[in-house]
Amino acid sequence: MKWIRLGSLFFLASLLFFQSCESEPYAQGRYIYEVRCSNCHLPDGRGLGKEIPSLHKSKASPAYWSCLIRYGQSNTIEQNGVKYIRNMPANTDLTAADLTNLINFIQNEWVEDSQFVALDSVNQWLENCPQG
Amino acid sequence: MKSLSKVIWVFFFLSALIFTSCQSEEKKLPIIGHKTIEGTDTTYHTIPDFTFVNQDSQKITPATFEDKIYVVDFFFTSCPTICPVVKSQMLRIYEQFANEDRLLFLSHSVDGRRDSVPRLKVYADNLGVDAERWHFVTGDIVEIYDIAEDYFSVAKEDPEAPGGFDHSGRLILVDTNKHVRSFCDGTDTEDVDRFMKDIEKLLDEMDTAR
């Protein structure tokens, strides 16, 4: 009886654990997004018209994003045929791990057919940034 | 049996009372701000005269809003904090009342250096709004900071604030008599929902006044 009780408790606990992980993947990325990005790109990621680009269905590569988010860009950014004149601010305090989490969150949330991005890849891309 | 029918009657009477009292007529929007009373005359807080220029280089004065009600805010195009959220809520209002000619929008830029008329034009076009309905204005910066107070908003230069300007995310509703009738926090979706209902109330008031 004792083992059955313990076993079922463990089973329930692991269900809860996996449930929470499943329902909130990339929670760290979400947090970074909410604190650092949602002001401009808005909580739903849709940006503001042609002033601030939407992150939905972005065709930009995670390599491009790694450098863009880390170093910002002050000249015109072109996306999906629209030229955005505003600056993308730099976020040099975000670590490679932060960037990995953030990019995974954004892609998982808003970019279909995107693939999981690993920390090693982000580290490599950051070493080859044109801006860096 | 006798006491049961009595209970039913009492119940019926009470629920009728509650039901009708809940359907009482909705009150009109208040007139917000300080008022002075002299004898039988009441003077309400009124938006003073102003002269600004919009994204099409048109002169914008109180005459622009004659017989119209309008929504006001203060922003600047390079604002890194609340402005995109407030603008997206204003867009929501703009779209909700897309066919309502009596409702206009007036956004004041608090950044006299960077928000030139051409920049405001690009901004307005980027948001995809009609310049006849939504005016993005610049002008004498002191006049803009001063009039912000009349609209119960904050607008001033502040080197310590993100972007360099301190301003509120408030949306204000002004009626055809230049009186302030409602306001909300433009960053709060539910507050904006309530504000949109206030806009409807004010439009209804215009209907019944005819």
Side-chain angles (χ1 to χ4, degrees):
Chain A
M1 265 313 283
K2 184 177 167 194
W3 291 111
I4 294 173
R5 232 187 260 167
L6 221 58
S8 44
L9 212 69
F10 177 77
F11 178 70
L12 271 171
S14 46
L15 259 185
L16 271 169
F17 177 77
F18 286 115
Q19 172 73 309
S20 64
C21 280
E22 269 304 299
S23 61
E24 193 57 82
Y26 314 119
Q28 298 97 324
R30 175 188 292 275
Y31 176 75
I32 297 174
Y33 183 82
E34 277 170 10
V35 171
R36 300 295 294 265
C37 321
S38 65
N39 274 348
C40 287
H41 291 282
L42 299 195
D44 62 8
R46 293 199 180 274
L48 192 68
K50 295 183 195 158
E51 268 292 309
I52 299 171
S54 166
L55 302 177
H56 287 240
K57 304 195 173 100
S58 173
K59 297 195 187 86
S61 68
Y64 171 77
W65 267 354
S66 304
C67 296
L68 180 67
I69 301 172
R70 164 66 69 84
Y71 295 109
Q73 188 167 330
S74 54
N75 52 324
T76 308
I77 297 177
E78 195 158 341
Q79 251 217 68
N80 293 335
V82 178
K83 293 199 170 113
Y84 296 90
I85 56 174
R86 271 171 85 135
N87 289 357
M88 165 69 186
N91 296 281
T92 47
D93 60 323
L94 290 182
T95 63
D98 290 332
L99 291 172
T100 310
N101 284 329
L102 179 59
I103 293 170
N104 278 322
F105 164 74
I106 293 172
Q107 293 198 144
N108 179 67
E109 201 78 1
W110 298 310
V111 184
E112 281 168 12
D113 302 328
S114 57
Q115 296 197 315
F116 175 78
V117 161
L119 177 57
D120 283 343
S121 310
V122 173
N123 269 320
Q124 264 192 320
W125 294 324
L126 285 175
E127 276 169 33
N128 296 315
C129 285
Q131 304 98 314
Chain B
M1 277 309 288
K2 203 169 172 189
S3 62
L4 178 63
S5 63
K6 211 191 240 176
V7 170
I8 292 173
W9 273 113
V10 170
F11 176 76
F12 179 71
F13 180 69
L14 275 175
S15 44
L17 202 67
I18 293 167
F19 193 65
T20 50
S21 66
C22 281
Q23 297 215 319
S24 63
E25 224 177 80
E26 276 182 23
K27 296 198 184 117
K28 273 167 65 159
L29 290 176
I31 299 178
I32 297 173
H34 183 73
K35 65 181 186 234
T36 49
I37 301 175
E38 277 171 55
T40 50
D41 289 329
T42 310
T43 312
Y44 294 102
H45 174 80
T46 309
I47 302 299
D49 259 352
F50 54 83
T51 306
F52 299 124
V53 63
N54 81 350
Q55 66 269 35
D56 283 342
S57 303
Q58 285 176 335
K59 198 159 87 160
I60 303 299
T61 67
T64 315
F65 303 95
E66 199 171 321
D67 296 328
K68 313 276 190 198
I69 65 175
Y70 62 107
V71 174
V72 176
D73 83 317
F74 291 81
F75 83 111
F76 58 111
T77 62
S78 41
C79 168
T81 53
I82 58 175
C83 304
V85 172
V86 174
K87 280 290 172 292
S88 72
Q89 292 291 338
M90 283 180 85
L91 273 167
R92 194 159 72 93
I93 303 174
Y94 179 86
E95 274 145 29
Q96 174 89 345
F97 293 93
N99 296 318
E100 182 52 76
D101 287 333
R102 294 172 296 171
L103 176 67
L104 300 182
F105 296 79
L106 177 58
S107 289
H108 304 80
S109 166
V110 303
D111 185 349
R113 276 193 295 274
R114 284 173 291 188
D115 288 349
S116 58
V117 165
R119 179 62 181 105
L120 291 174
K121 176 75 180 153
V122 169
Y123 192 85
D125 286 348
N126 281 344
L127 262 55
V129 299
D130 177 6
E132 294 295 309
R133 286 198 68 211
W134 192 335
H135 303 286
F136 291 83
V137 301
T138 182
D140 178 52
I141 201 69
V142 174
E143 196 182 339
I144 291 183
Y145 293 164
D146 281 347
I147 211 168
E149 284 183 29
D150 292 295
Y151 287 115
F152 307 114
S153 296
V154 170
K156 61 176 192 284
E157 196 161 356
D158 181 359
E160 314 235 327
F165 296 94
D166 192 6
H167 67 95
S168 58
R170 212 166 237 193
L171 299 178
I172 290 89
L173 181 63
V174 181
D175 70 11
T176 53
N177 295 318
K178 308 183 210 173
H179 297 321
V180 175
R181 304 298 296 275
S182 176
F183 60 86
C184 73
D185 174 359
T187 64
D188 183 333
T189 309
E190 279 170 22
D191 211 14
V192 173
D193 287 341
R194 190 258 313 153
F195 186 69
M196 287 203 275
K197 294 207 178 82
D198 284 351
I199 293 176
E200 306 250 6
K201 273 192 204 167
L202 194 56
L203 289 165
D204 286 344
E205 201 182 289
M206 284 171 82
D207 284 334
T208 51
R210 281 180 195 289

